[in-house]
PDB file of all heavy atoms in Angstrom:
ATOM      1  N   PRO M   1      -2.927   0.583 -31.491  1.00  0.00           N
ATOM      2  CA  PRO M   1      -2.177  -0.426 -30.753  1.00  0.00           C
ATOM      3  C   PRO M   1      -2.126  -0.057 -29.273  1.00  0.00           C
ATOM      4  O   PRO M   1      -2.111   1.203 -28.899  1.00  0.00           O
ATOM      5  CB  PRO M   1      -0.806  -0.319 -31.351  1.00  0.00           C
ATOM      6  CG  PRO M   1      -0.665   0.990 -31.895  1.00  0.00           C
ATOM      7  CD  PRO M   1      -2.040   1.389 -32.369  1.00  0.00           C
ATOM      8  N   TYR M   2      -2.024  -0.990 -28.387  1.00  0.00           N
ATOM      9  CA  TYR M   2      -1.795  -0.767 -26.953  1.00  0.00           C
ATOM     10  C   TYR M   2      -1.089  -1.917 -26.330  1.00  0.00           C
ATOM     11  O   TYR M   2      -1.008  -2.950 -26.842  1.00  0.00           O
ATOM     12  CB  TYR M   2      -3.172  -0.470 -26.283  1.00  0.00           C
ATOM     13  CG  TYR M   2      -4.061  -1.689 -26.154  1.00  0.00           C
ATOM     14  CD1 TYR M   2      -4.127  -2.464 -25.045  1.00  0.00           C
ATOM     15  CD2 TYR M   2      -4.937  -2.103 -27.279  1.00  0.00           C
ATOM     16  CE1 TYR M   2      -4.944  -3.581 -24.938  1.00  0.00           C
ATOM     17  CE2 TYR M   2      -5.685  -3.156 -27.150  1.00  0.00           C
ATOM     18  CZ  TYR M   2      -5.691  -3.899 -26.060  1.00  0.00           C
ATOM     19  OH  TYR M   2      -6.593  -5.074 -25.996  1.00  0.00           O
ATOM     20  N   LYS M   3      -0.588  -1.584 -25.197  1.00  0.00           N
ATOM     21  CA  LYS M   3       0.146  -2.680 -24.370  1.00  0.00           C
ATOM     22  C   LYS M   3      -0.490  -2.787 -23.010  1.00  0.00           C
ATOM     23  O   LYS M   3      -1.150  -1.791 -22.529  1.00  0.00           O
ATOM     24  CB  LYS M   3       1.675  -2.223 -24.168  1.00  0.00           C
ATOM     25  CG  LYS M   3       2.464  -2.130 -25.514  1.00  0.00           C
ATOM     26  CD  LYS M   3       3.830  -1.625 -25.233  1.00  0.00           C
ATOM     27  CE  LYS M   3       4.537  -1.491 -26.559  1.00  0.00           C
ATOM     28  NZ  LYS M   3       5.936  -1.043 -26.375  1.00  0.00           N
ATOM     29  N   VAL M   4      -0.262  -3.872 -22.340  1.00  0.00           N
ATOM     30  CA  VAL M   4      -0.717  -4.030 -20.900  1.00  0.00           C
ATOM     31  C   VAL M   4       0.456  -4.458 -20.116  1.00  0.00           C
ATOM     32  O   VAL M   4       1.328  -5.263 -20.539  1.00  0.00           O
ATOM     33  CB  VAL M   4      -1.827  -5.115 -20.869  1.00  0.00           C
ATOM     34  CG1 VAL M   4      -2.285  -5.337 -19.436  1.00  0.00           C
ATOM     35  CG2 VAL M   4      -2.974  -4.770 -21.791  1.00  0.00           C
ATOM     36  N   HIS M   5       0.674  -3.779 -18.963  1.00  0.00           N
ATOM     37  CA  HIS M   5       1.750  -3.988 -18.034  1.00  0.00           C
ATOM     38  C   HIS M   5       1.216  -4.446 -16.701  1.00  0.00           C
ATOM     39  O   HIS M   5       0.068  -4.054 -16.314  1.00  0.00           O
ATOM     40  CB  HIS M   5       2.548  -2.812 -17.895  1.00  0.00           C
ATOM     41  CG  HIS M   5       3.148  -2.274 -19.173  1.00  0.00           C
ATOM     42  ND1 HIS M   5       4.309  -2.705 -19.667  1.00  0.00           N
ATOM     43  CD2 HIS M   5       2.692  -1.300 -20.064  1.00  0.00           C
ATOM     44  CE1 HIS M   5       4.675  -2.087 -20.849  1.00  0.00           C
ATOM     45  NE2 HIS M   5       3.627  -1.309 -21.097  1.00  0.00           N
ATOM     46  N   SER M   6       2.004  -5.117 -15.953  1.00  0.00           N
ATOM     47  CA  SER M   6       1.698  -5.580 -14.507  1.00  0.00           C
ATOM     48  C   SER M   6       2.202  -4.539 -13.493  1.00  0.00           C
ATOM     49  O   SER M   6       1.969  -4.780 -12.331  1.00  0.00           O
ATOM     50  CB  SER M   6       2.185  -6.965 -14.256  1.00  0.00           C
ATOM     51  OG  SER M   6       3.573  -6.973 -14.368  1.00  0.00           O
ATOM     52  N   ASP M   7       2.922  -3.556 -13.913  1.00  0.00           N
ATOM     53  CA  ASP M   7       3.530  -2.566 -13.005  1.00  0.00           C
ATOM     54  C   ASP M   7       3.365  -1.107 -13.497  1.00  0.00           C
ATOM     55  O   ASP M   7       3.268  -0.895 -14.674  1.00  0.00           O
ATOM     56  CB  ASP M   7       5.039  -2.902 -12.789  1.00  0.00           C
ATOM     57  CG  ASP M   7       5.765  -2.699 -14.112  1.00  0.00           C
ATOM     58  OD1 ASP M   7       5.365  -3.186 -15.143  1.00  0.00           O
ATOM     59  OD2 ASP M   7       6.882  -2.002 -14.002  1.00  0.00           O
ATOM     60  N   ALA M   8       3.296  -0.220 -12.563  1.00  0.00           N
ATOM     61  CA  ALA M   8       3.034   1.208 -12.870  1.00  0.00           C
ATOM     62  C   ALA M   8       4.276   1.757 -13.600  1.00  0.00           C
ATOM     63  O   ALA M   8       4.096   2.742 -14.349  1.00  0.00           O
ATOM     64  CB  ALA M   8       2.869   1.983 -11.518  1.00  0.00           C
ATOM     65  N   GLY M   9       5.377   1.200 -13.490  1.00  0.00           N
ATOM     66  CA  GLY M   9       6.653   1.752 -14.152  1.00  0.00           C
ATOM     67  C   GLY M   9       6.666   1.268 -15.579  1.00  0.00           C
ATOM     68  O   GLY M   9       7.623   1.568 -16.348  1.00  0.00           O
ATOM     69  N   HIS M  10       5.789   0.400 -16.015  1.00  0.00           N
ATOM     70  CA  HIS M  10       5.715  -0.190 -17.363  1.00  0.00           C
ATOM     71  C   HIS M  10       6.960  -0.971 -17.764  1.00  0.00           C
ATOM     72  O   HIS M  10       7.292  -1.009 -18.932  1.00  0.00           O
ATOM     73  CB  HIS M  10       5.323   0.859 -18.378  1.00  0.00           C
ATOM     74  CG  HIS M  10       4.037   1.563 -18.123  1.00  0.00           C
ATOM     75  ND1 HIS M  10       3.917   2.640 -17.406  1.00  0.00           N
ATOM     76  CD2 HIS M  10       2.828   1.138 -18.399  1.00  0.00           C
ATOM     77  CE1 HIS M  10       2.628   2.953 -17.238  1.00  0.00           C
ATOM     78  NE2 HIS M  10       1.965   2.022 -17.905  1.00  0.00           N
ATOM     79  N   ALA M  11       7.607  -1.592 -16.760  1.00  0.00           N
ATOM     80  CA  ALA M  11       8.715  -2.405 -17.060  1.00  0.00           C
ATOM     81  C   ALA M  11       8.361  -3.837 -17.445  1.00  0.00           C
ATOM     82  O   ALA M  11       9.128  -4.555 -18.130  1.00  0.00           O
ATOM     83  CB  ALA M  11       9.738  -2.411 -15.912  1.00  0.00           C
ATOM     84  N   ASN M  12       7.168  -4.250 -16.983  1.00  0.00           N
ATOM     85  CA  ASN M  12       6.815  -5.693 -17.190  1.00  0.00           C
ATOM     86  C   ASN M  12       5.561  -5.844 -18.053  1.00  0.00           C
ATOM     87  O   ASN M  12       4.420  -5.847 -17.615  1.00  0.00           O
ATOM     88  CB  ASN M  12       6.519  -6.411 -15.829  1.00  0.00           C
ATOM     89  CG  ASN M  12       7.717  -6.347 -14.961  1.00  0.00           C
ATOM     90  OD1 ASN M  12       8.752  -6.726 -15.396  1.00  0.00           O
ATOM     91  ND2 ASN M  12       7.539  -5.915 -13.753  1.00  0.00           N
ATOM     92  N   GLU M  13       5.754  -5.807 -19.336  1.00  0.00           N
ATOM     93  CA  GLU M  13       4.730  -6.004 -20.341  1.00  0.00           C
ATOM     94  C   GLU M  13       4.107  -7.433 -20.281  1.00  0.00           C
ATOM     95  O   GLU M  13       4.917  -8.383 -20.216  1.00  0.00           O
ATOM     96  CB  GLU M  13       5.090  -5.661 -21.718  1.00  0.00           C
ATOM     97  CG  GLU M  13       3.955  -5.751 -22.720  1.00  0.00           C
ATOM     98  CD  GLU M  13       4.366  -5.330 -24.146  1.00  0.00           C
ATOM     99  OE1 GLU M  13       5.451  -4.839 -24.409  1.00  0.00           O
ATOM    100  OE2 GLU M  13       3.553  -5.469 -25.034  1.00  0.00           O
ATOM    101  N   ILE M  14       2.839  -7.576 -20.319  1.00  0.00           N
ATOM    102  CA  ILE M  14       2.183  -8.851 -20.369  1.00  0.00           C
ATOM    103  C   ILE M  14       1.951  -9.183 -21.820  1.00  0.00           C
ATOM    104  O   ILE M  14       1.094  -8.540 -22.501  1.00  0.00           O
ATOM    105  CB  ILE M  14       0.847  -8.818 -19.584  1.00  0.00           C
ATOM    106  CG1 ILE M  14       1.098  -8.437 -18.112  1.00  0.00           C
ATOM    107  CG2 ILE M  14       0.124 -10.207 -19.647  1.00  0.00           C
ATOM    108  CD1 ILE M  14      -0.160  -8.088 -17.424  1.00  0.00           C
ATOM    109  N   SER M  15       2.651 -10.259 -22.411  1.00  0.00           N
ATOM    110  CA  SER M  15       2.522 -10.560 -23.716  1.00  0.00           C
ATOM    111  C   SER M  15       1.168 -11.215 -24.000  1.00  0.00           C
ATOM    112  O   SER M  15       0.451 -11.551 -23.042  1.00  0.00           O
ATOM    113  CB  SER M  15       3.689 -11.478 -24.135  1.00  0.00           C
ATOM    114  OG  SER M  15       3.603 -12.688 -23.293  1.00  0.00           O
ATOM    115  N   ILE M  16       0.884 -11.365 -25.213  1.00  0.00           N
ATOM    116  CA  ILE M  16      -0.465 -12.074 -25.531  1.00  0.00           C
ATOM    117  C   ILE M  16      -0.350 -13.485 -25.066  1.00  0.00           C
ATOM    118  O   ILE M  16       0.610 -14.211 -25.323  1.00  0.00           O
ATOM    119  CB  ILE M  16      -0.594 -12.051 -27.089  1.00  0.00           C
ATOM    120  CG1 ILE M  16      -0.891 -10.614 -27.508  1.00  0.00           C
ATOM    121  CG2 ILE M  16      -1.765 -12.974 -27.529  1.00  0.00           C
ATOM    122  CD1 ILE M  16      -1.010 -10.380 -29.020  1.00  0.00           C
ATOM    123  N   GLY M  17      -1.280 -13.860 -24.272  1.00  0.00           N
ATOM    124  CA  GLY M  17      -1.297 -15.219 -23.602  1.00  0.00           C
ATOM    125  C   GLY M  17      -0.442 -15.254 -22.368  1.00  0.00           C
ATOM    126  O   GLY M  17      -0.278 -16.324 -21.838  1.00  0.00           O
ATOM    127  N   GLY M  18       0.134 -14.081 -22.025  1.00  0.00           N
ATOM    128  CA  GLY M  18       1.058 -13.987 -20.890  1.00  0.00           C
ATOM    129  C   GLY M  18       0.432 -13.931 -19.545  1.00  0.00           C
ATOM    130  O   GLY M  18      -0.854 -13.790 -19.468  1.00  0.00           O
ATOM    131  N   THR M  19       1.171 -14.086 -18.522  1.00  0.00           N
ATOM    132  CA  THR M  19       0.731 -14.177 -17.167  1.00  0.00           C
ATOM    133  C   THR M  19       0.775 -12.812 -16.396  1.00  0.00           C
ATOM    134  O   THR M  19       1.810 -12.140 -16.407  1.00  0.00           O
ATOM    135  CB  THR M  19       1.600 -15.218 -16.369  1.00  0.00           C
ATOM    136  OG1 THR M  19       1.511 -16.454 -16.908  1.00  0.00           O
ATOM    137  CG2 THR M  19       1.175 -15.306 -14.959  1.00  0.00           C
ATOM    138  N   LEU M  20      -0.404 -12.436 -15.851  1.00  0.00           N
ATOM    139  CA  LEU M  20      -0.487 -11.264 -15.058  1.00  0.00           C
ATOM    140  C   LEU M  20      -0.107 -11.550 -13.624  1.00  0.00           C
ATOM    141  O   LEU M  20       0.571 -10.816 -12.980  1.00  0.00           O
ATOM    142  CB  LEU M  20      -1.871 -10.742 -15.145  1.00  0.00           C
ATOM    143  CG  LEU M  20      -2.276  -9.703 -14.076  1.00  0.00           C
ATOM    144  CD1 LEU M  20      -1.471  -8.394 -14.282  1.00  0.00           C
ATOM    145  CD2 LEU M  20      -3.793  -9.344 -14.161  1.00  0.00           C
ATOM    146  N   TYR M  21      -0.513 -12.749 -13.146  1.00  0.00           N
ATOM    147  CA  TYR M  21      -0.263 -13.091 -11.759  1.00  0.00           C
ATOM    148  C   TYR M  21      -0.156 -14.625 -11.610  1.00  0.00           C
ATOM    149  O   TYR M  21      -0.847 -15.392 -12.223  1.00  0.00           O
ATOM    150  CB  TYR M  21      -1.430 -12.624 -10.891  1.00  0.00           C
ATOM    151  CG  TYR M  21      -1.375 -12.906  -9.413  1.00  0.00           C
ATOM    152  CD1 TYR M  21      -0.544 -12.282  -8.604  1.00  0.00           C
ATOM    153  CD2 TYR M  21      -2.146 -13.987  -8.862  1.00  0.00           C
ATOM    154  CE1 TYR M  21      -0.509 -12.599  -7.192  1.00  0.00           C
ATOM    155  CE2 TYR M  21      -2.054 -14.307  -7.571  1.00  0.00           C
ATOM    156  CZ  TYR M  21      -1.260 -13.562  -6.726  1.00  0.00           C
ATOM    157  OH  TYR M  21      -1.188 -13.893  -5.347  1.00  0.00           O
ATOM    158  N   THR M  22       0.808 -15.011 -10.742  1.00  0.00           N
ATOM    159  CA  THR M  22       0.909 -16.353 -10.259  1.00  0.00           C
ATOM    160  C   THR M  22       1.255 -16.291  -8.782  1.00  0.00           C
ATOM    161  O   THR M  22       2.154 -15.573  -8.359  1.00  0.00           O
ATOM    162  CB  THR M  22       2.038 -17.129 -10.966  1.00  0.00           C
ATOM    163  OG1 THR M  22       1.767 -17.247 -12.353  1.00  0.00           O
ATOM    164  CG2 THR M  22       2.189 -18.523 -10.367  1.00  0.00           C
ATOM    165  N   GLY M  23       0.418 -16.885  -7.950  1.00  0.00           N
ATOM    166  CA  GLY M  23       0.612 -16.849  -6.497  1.00  0.00           C
ATOM    167  C   GLY M  23      -0.592 -17.368  -5.844  1.00  0.00           C
ATOM    168  O   GLY M  23      -1.535 -17.944  -6.426  1.00  0.00           O
ATOM    169  N   GLY M  24      -0.693 -17.219  -4.526  1.00  0.00           N
ATOM    170  CA  GLY M  24      -1.662 -17.691  -3.651  1.00  0.00           C
ATOM    171  C   GLY M  24      -2.779 -16.658  -3.487  1.00  0.00           C
ATOM    172  O   GLY M  24      -2.672 -15.534  -3.723  1.00  0.00           O
ATOM    173  N   VAL M  25      -3.996 -17.207  -3.015  1.00  0.00           N
ATOM    174  CA  VAL M  25      -5.118 -16.432  -2.680  1.00  0.00           C
ATOM    175  C   VAL M  25      -5.685 -16.964  -1.317  1.00  0.00           C
ATOM    176  O   VAL M  25      -5.596 -18.129  -1.091  1.00  0.00           O
ATOM    177  CB  VAL M  25      -6.202 -16.350  -3.752  1.00  0.00           C
ATOM    178  CG1 VAL M  25      -5.779 -15.634  -4.990  1.00  0.00           C
ATOM    179  CG2 VAL M  25      -6.762 -17.748  -4.061  1.00  0.00           C
ATOM    180  N   THR M  26      -6.170 -16.019  -0.527  1.00  0.00           N
ATOM    181  CA  THR M  26      -6.770 -16.406   0.770  1.00  0.00           C
ATOM    182  C   THR M  26      -8.287 -16.515   0.616  1.00  0.00           C
ATOM    183  O   THR M  26      -8.955 -15.777  -0.139  1.00  0.00           O
ATOM    184  CB  THR M  26      -6.504 -15.317   1.814  1.00  0.00           C
ATOM    185  OG1 THR M  26      -5.078 -15.185   1.898  1.00  0.00           O
ATOM    186  CG2 THR M  26      -7.021 -15.689   3.177  1.00  0.00           C
ATOM    187  N   ALA M  27      -8.921 -17.522   1.224  1.00  0.00           N
ATOM    188  CA  ALA M  27     -10.292 -17.764   1.107  1.00  0.00           C
ATOM    189  C   ALA M  27     -11.163 -16.599   1.485  1.00  0.00           C
ATOM    190  O   ALA M  27     -10.894 -15.896   2.573  1.00  0.00           O
ATOM    191  CB  ALA M  27     -10.734 -18.965   2.064  1.00  0.00           C
ATOM    192  N   ALA M  28     -12.068 -16.192   0.633  1.00  0.00           N
ATOM    193  CA  ALA M  28     -13.058 -15.167   0.794  1.00  0.00           C
ATOM    194  C   ALA M  28     -12.478 -13.739   0.952  1.00  0.00           C
ATOM    195  O   ALA M  28     -13.177 -12.795   1.173  1.00  0.00           O
ATOM    196  CB  ALA M  28     -13.940 -15.434   2.013  1.00  0.00           C
ATOM    197  N   VAL M  29     -11.196 -13.584   0.673  1.00  0.00           N
ATOM    198  CA  VAL M  29     -10.517 -12.322   0.672  1.00  0.00           C
ATOM    199  C   VAL M  29     -10.194 -11.899  -0.729  1.00  0.00           C
ATOM    200  O   VAL M  29      -9.431 -12.671  -1.436  1.00  0.00           O
ATOM    201  CB  VAL M  29      -9.269 -12.279   1.574  1.00  0.00           C
ATOM    202  CG1 VAL M  29      -8.580 -10.860   1.475  1.00  0.00           C
ATOM    203  CG2 VAL M  29      -9.659 -12.667   2.982  1.00  0.00           C
ATOM    204  N   PRO M  30     -10.680 -10.757  -1.309  1.00  0.00           N
ATOM    205  CA  PRO M  30     -10.344 -10.378  -2.627  1.00  0.00           C
ATOM    206  C   PRO M  30      -8.885 -10.209  -2.866  1.00  0.00           C
ATOM    207  O   PRO M  30      -8.252  -9.476  -2.004  1.00  0.00           O
ATOM    208  CB  PRO M  30     -11.125  -9.035  -2.857  1.00  0.00           C
ATOM    209  CG  PRO M  30     -12.243  -9.152  -1.785  1.00  0.00           C
ATOM    210  CD  PRO M  30     -11.645  -9.868  -0.668  1.00  0.00           C
ATOM    211  N   THR M  31      -8.362 -10.697  -3.939  1.00  0.00           N
ATOM    212  CA  THR M  31      -6.938 -10.516  -4.354  1.00  0.00           C
ATOM    213  C   THR M  31      -7.140  -9.486  -5.503  1.00  0.00           C
ATOM    214  O   THR M  31      -7.608  -9.826  -6.593  1.00  0.00           O
ATOM    215  CB  THR M  31      -6.256 -11.706  -4.751  1.00  0.00           C
ATOM    216  OG1 THR M  31      -6.208 -12.618  -3.667  1.00  0.00           O
ATOM    217  CG2 THR M  31      -4.865 -11.464  -5.241  1.00  0.00           C
ATOM    218  N   LEU M  32      -6.561  -8.231  -5.339  1.00  0.00           N
ATOM    219  CA  LEU M  32      -6.682  -7.249  -6.374  1.00  0.00           C
ATOM    220  C   LEU M  32      -5.441  -7.196  -7.130  1.00  0.00           C
ATOM    221  O   LEU M  32      -4.328  -7.058  -6.535  1.00  0.00           O
ATOM    222  CB  LEU M  32      -7.002  -5.861  -5.737  1.00  0.00           C
ATOM    223  CG  LEU M  32      -8.278  -5.829  -4.921  1.00  0.00           C
ATOM    224  CD1 LEU M  32      -8.514  -4.422  -4.343  1.00  0.00           C
ATOM    225  CD2 LEU M  32      -9.456  -6.208  -5.770  1.00  0.00           C
ATOM    226  N   LEU M  33      -5.465  -7.230  -8.430  1.00  0.00           N
ATOM    227  CA  LEU M  33      -4.426  -7.212  -9.387  1.00  0.00           C
ATOM    228  C   LEU M  33      -4.464  -5.976 -10.167  1.00  0.00           C
ATOM    229  O   LEU M  33      -5.358  -5.734 -10.904  1.00  0.00           O
ATOM    230  CB  LEU M  33      -4.378  -8.468 -10.249  1.00  0.00           C
ATOM    231  CG  LEU M  33      -4.453  -9.798  -9.568  1.00  0.00           C
ATOM    232  CD1 LEU M  33      -4.646 -10.944 -10.605  1.00  0.00           C
ATOM    233  CD2 LEU M  33      -3.348 -10.030  -8.639  1.00  0.00           C
ATOM    234  N   ASN M  34      -3.369  -5.151 -10.093  1.00  0.00           N
ATOM    235  CA  ASN M  34      -3.305  -3.978 -10.874  1.00  0.00           C
ATOM    236  C   ASN M  34      -2.872  -4.242 -12.293  1.00  0.00           C
ATOM    237  O   ASN M  34      -1.886  -5.089 -12.392  1.00  0.00           O
ATOM    238  CB  ASN M  34      -2.425  -2.911 -10.264  1.00  0.00           C
ATOM    239  CG  ASN M  34      -2.949  -2.424  -8.939  1.00  0.00           C
ATOM    240  OD1 ASN M  34      -4.122  -2.031  -8.826  1.00  0.00           O
ATOM    241  ND2 ASN M  34      -2.170  -2.441  -7.930  1.00  0.00           N
ATOM    242  N   VAL M  35      -3.418  -3.607 -13.277  1.00  0.00           N
ATOM    243  CA  VAL M  35      -2.955  -3.665 -14.635  1.00  0.00           C
ATOM    244  C   VAL M  35      -2.781  -2.252 -15.144  1.00  0.00           C
ATOM    245  O   VAL M  35      -3.488  -1.405 -14.630  1.00  0.00           O
ATOM    246  CB  VAL M  35      -3.862  -4.465 -15.616  1.00  0.00           C
ATOM    247  CG1 VAL M  35      -3.798  -5.991 -15.270  1.00  0.00           C
ATOM    248  CG2 VAL M  35      -5.258  -3.940 -15.509  1.00  0.00           C
ATOM    249  N   PHE M  36      -1.919  -2.010 -16.105  1.00  0.00           N
ATOM    250  CA  PHE M  36      -1.675  -0.685 -16.593  1.00  0.00           C
ATOM    251  C   PHE M  36      -1.648  -0.736 -18.089  1.00  0.00           C
ATOM    252  O   PHE M  36      -0.896  -1.485 -18.704  1.00  0.00           O
ATOM    253  CB  PHE M  36      -0.377  -0.120 -16.041  1.00  0.00           C
ATOM    254  CG  PHE M  36      -0.385  -0.103 -14.587  1.00  0.00           C
ATOM    255  CD1 PHE M  36       0.065  -1.165 -13.784  1.00  0.00           C
ATOM    256  CD2 PHE M  36      -0.797   1.036 -13.872  1.00  0.00           C
ATOM    257  CE1 PHE M  36       0.002  -1.145 -12.397  1.00  0.00           C
ATOM    258  CE2 PHE M  36      -0.791   1.094 -12.460  1.00  0.00           C
ATOM    259  CZ  PHE M  36      -0.379  -0.010 -11.721  1.00  0.00           C
TER     260      PHE M  36
END
């Protein structure tokens, strides 16, 4: 078994079908999303 979190402190687990990120992105600039 394993879990996936959106924060280094492991307080925000991403459930199955859950959201890692909601927000804006800038044209042609990579938006990097950390997962743990």
Side-chain angles (χ1 to χ4, degrees):
Y2 69 97
K3 299 176 182 181
V4 179
H5 300 273
S6 60
D7 63 313
H10 299 92
N12 299 311
E13 182 177 353
I14 302 166
S15 62
I16 292 175
T19 300
L20 168 63
Y21 176 78
T22 297
V25 295
T26 302
V29 176
T31 299
L32 301 178
L33 309 173
N34 294 313
V35 291
F36 301 89

